[in-house]
Amino acid sequence: EVQLVESGGGSVQAGGSLTLSCVASGFAVGDWTIGWFRQAPGLGREGVAVMRADEIRYTDSVKGRFTLSSDSAKNTVYLQMNNLRPDDTAVYYCAARQRAWPLVAITTGGNAMHHWGKGTLVTVSS
């Protein structure tokens, strides 16, 4: 059974940093397409960062601030978020699919992804 468990959300001031973790089970993170999506209050879901093997894609608004990485030994993916802004406030979800193009996953807001975690809340105050 595929499971994704997120952690690391919290409240920070603008300019601060957080690292989100997603522990995966039921598959190897290095073999699947996996990444982070977010949904802010009143808005639709947005792709943030997605990876498959050596390919990583970011949405434009987080480029240079967020970094997606993985640890195959821990079967975990991380989203390092620096220089956070109030408009980064959202529930962040980890999602995965056995095969998907990262760019498609990003641009479709995760519609291509099959498995989802329950999410973790990130709140950035000004």
Side-chain angles (χ1 to χ4, degrees):
E1 179 185 5
V2 172
Q3 288 191 331
L4 301 166
V5 180
E6 306 101 331
S7 62
S11 297
V12 296
Q13 290 191 326
S17 298
L18 283 174
T19 299
L20 305 183
S21 300
C22 173
V23 179
S25 58
F27 68 99
V29 297
D31 294 340
W32 282 36
T33 301
I34 187 168
W36 292 91
F37 300 79
R38 67 186 179 186
Q39 187 162 19
L43 298 179
R45 191 172 59 206
E46 176 188 30
V48 177
V50 178
M51 69 190 310
R52 177 174 178 83
D54 294 334
E55 180 182 0
I56 300 177
R57 298 280 185 167
Y58 298 94
T59 193
D60 286 346
S61 65
V62 309
K63 287 179 181 177
R65 301 188 299 122
F66 291 11
T67 302
L68 180 63
S69 63
S70 66
D71 184 334
S72 58
K74 296 181 178 180
N75 215 36
T76 299
V77 294
Y78 303 96
L79 186 66
Q80 172 68 44
M81 306 186 294
N82 297 325
N83 193 20
L84 283 160
R85 309 186 308 213
D87 61 357
D88 293 317
T89 295
V91 178
Y92 284 71
Y93 298 91
C94 180
R97 176 175 172 170
Q98 186 170 11
R99 293 184 182 87
W101 295 108
L103 182 59
V104 172
I106 285 279
T107 56
T108 60
N111 289 341
M113 308 303 274
H114 287 170
H115 304 279
W116 292 84
K118 294 183 178 181
T120 185
L121 177 63
V122 172
T123 304
V124 185
S125 58
S126 58

